[in-house]
Amino acid sequence: MHGIVSTLCRSLSLIFILIRVESRTLSASYPFSQYNYIAGSASNDGKTIYLSGLQENNGDPILLQTKNGGASYSTLTAGDMKIGSVATTGDGKTMVAGADDGVYLGVSLDKVSSKYLPKCAIQATGFSSYQVSMSANGKVMAAGCARGGNLMVSTDSGKSWDKGPSGKWASVQVSNSGDSIIAASSDSVYISKNSGKTWNKSPFTGAYNSATVSGDGTVFYVNQYASRFGKDTGSMVKSTDYGQTWEPVAPCIGLEPISSFSGKNVVVKATNPSKGPWLMSTNAGQSFFQTGPKPDNGGCRSWHTIGFSNQGNSIYGTCDNSLYRSTNDGKSWQSIGPA
């Protein structure tokens, strides 16, 4: 792989929580419009969406849920848990969240039980999370700590966990079926095609910002990005043989994270949001176009890629204080709150 440069891997301590979602509403400390939203996940039909954010001025966290596609939101947690990674099952009833002070399995919105995975090492400043992902039915889950340790995989909805390769994990993604898993660390990329029983280490080295697998588990993308002395460097590559070989997709097209549904539709966070906060391809990376809200208003101050619904018919991303959705391959975007 060419054009690889070293980059700092975001590293912080995190929490990993499996939440069986129940009907409950907490009060937020601030209006929803005062939070920057950094992570989220949507159900198959796009009606149930989970969204985590941090208050603009003091960093207070929040976790929101909508069950009507963004028409209204409820606060699931507020105050303590800083959640930087979220995944949900296809039906939206089970959600996995990576937060900031340990690894837990929870069974309700206000009670956490069965501490299982080891706590990540603590960093004095900053915020990140366990990188978490799961299959559409919630049986296969994967979690990797940014501070280092084994990649952990469960094939029984979190009841038990097996150790995978070791690394400082920047990105973890599970396919819809749970058979395919890709994980990017500070020194390599690992792929499993049997739900984590065995792993293939890719033949190139370097630090990788983001990795994703298509919904059907057959196409893998890896993105590496760094900016040094005002110059952007890096590359994006693709594999269709479970990491045995890789082909270039594009030179340094953007920041992490990336997301893919069919393998042909790929979205990546752009380095410069003035023409739109995301770069998107609908032809498996042969070409990209810049898209997203606010291109005429100086772009977004804070923007994050959330990705596709599990059916791939909607794309989601956050820009400043709002969640946006596109249902026409990025041609237009609609704000769906929270407000």
Side-chain angles (χ1 to χ4, degrees):
M1 181 175 178
H2 302 288
I4 300 299
V5 281
S6 299
T7 187
L8 293 176
C9 188
R10 291 172 178 81
S11 47
L12 295 166
S13 54
L14 318 167
I15 220 175
F16 177 61
I17 304 169
L18 172 63
I19 300 176
R20 301 282 180 187
V21 178
E22 300 172 356
S23 178
R24 185 169 182 268
T25 301
L26 304 177
S27 59
S29 301
Y30 303 91
F32 292 162
S33 60
Q34 291 185 14
Y35 289 82
N36 282 326
Y37 295 97
I38 59 176
S41 186
S43 62
N44 276 349
D45 58 12
K47 291 183 178 180
T48 301
I49 303 170
Y50 299 93
L51 193 62
S52 72
L54 299 173
Q55 209 275 335
E56 286 185 328
N57 296 323
N58 59 23
D60 282 356
I62 195 169
L63 175 64
L64 303 179
Q65 179 196 43
T66 176
K67 293 183 177 181
N68 50 23
S72 61
Y73 288 82
S74 298
T75 307
L76 302 185
T77 64
D80 295 325
M81 296 193 303
K82 292 184 177 180
I83 296 171
S85 182
V86 181
T88 185
T89 50
D91 60 12
K93 294 182 178 179
T94 300
M95 184 266 291
V96 173
D100 67 342
D101 71 344
V103 177
Y104 300 82
L105 299 181
V107 293
S108 69
L109 298 180
D110 60 347
K111 183 179 179 181
V112 176
S113 62
S114 304
K115 181 175 179 179
Y116 184 83
L117 299 178
K119 184 177 181 179
C120 277
I122 295 175
Q123 178 170 298
T125 61
F127 167 63
S128 183
S129 71
Y130 259 87
Q131 297 303 305
V132 298
S133 184
M134 67 178 169
S135 58
N137 62 9
K139 290 186 177 181
V140 180
M141 303 177 184
C145 178
R147 288 290 288 173
N150 291 100
L151 184 69
M152 304 299 292
V153 178
S154 174
T155 56
D156 56 9
S157 301
K159 296 180 178 66
S160 63
W161 296 81
D162 296 315
K163 291 182 178 180
S166 180
K168 295 180 179 180
W169 302 103
S171 182
V172 178
Q173 286 291 321
V174 178
S175 66
N176 283 345
S177 68
D179 294 331
S180 296
I181 306 173
I182 186 170
S185 76
S186 58
D187 63 0
S188 194
V189 174
Y190 295 84
I191 291 176
S192 175
K193 58 181 178 181
N194 51 19
S195 302
K197 293 183 178 67
T198 59
W199 295 89
N200 173 49
K201 183 178 180 180
S202 295
F204 44 76
T205 58
Y208 302 94
N209 302 89
S210 187
T212 192
V213 58
S214 58
D216 63 8
T218 61
V219 184
F220 301 84
Y221 290 90
V222 175
N223 192 41
Q224 193 279 341
Y225 169 84
S227 180
R228 292 185 174 183
F229 307 107
K231 183 178 180 180
D232 296 332
T233 59
S235 59
M236 187 178 188
V237 293
K238 167 177 84 170
S239 176
T240 56
D241 56 8
Y242 296 94
Q244 296 297 322
T245 60
W246 296 85
E247 61 180 285
V249 173
C252 194
I253 61 168
L255 288 162
E256 53 80 30
I258 50 176
S259 182
S260 174
F261 178 74
S262 67
K264 292 184 177 180
N265 291 341
V266 184
V267 62
V268 58
K269 181 178 175 180
T271 56
N272 184 349
S274 61
K275 295 182 180 179
W278 302 290
L279 292 159
M280 184 169 177
S281 174
T282 57
N283 55 14
Q286 295 180 38
S287 61
F288 285 80
F289 60 92
Q290 202 151 357
T291 181
K294 293 190 175 181
D296 299 325
N297 301 337
C300 308
R301 293 171 295 128
S302 173
W303 68 106
H304 300 271
T305 308
I306 289 178
F308 299 82
S309 66
N310 284 341
Q311 290 178 338
N313 52 3
S314 297
I315 315 165
Y316 297 88
T318 66
C319 174
D320 297 334
N321 313 105
S322 188
L323 175 67
Y324 288 82
R325 176 176 60 203
S326 175
T327 57
N328 55 8
D329 291 334
K331 295 181 179 65
S332 61
W333 294 83
Q334 174 191 13
S335 174
I336 55 172

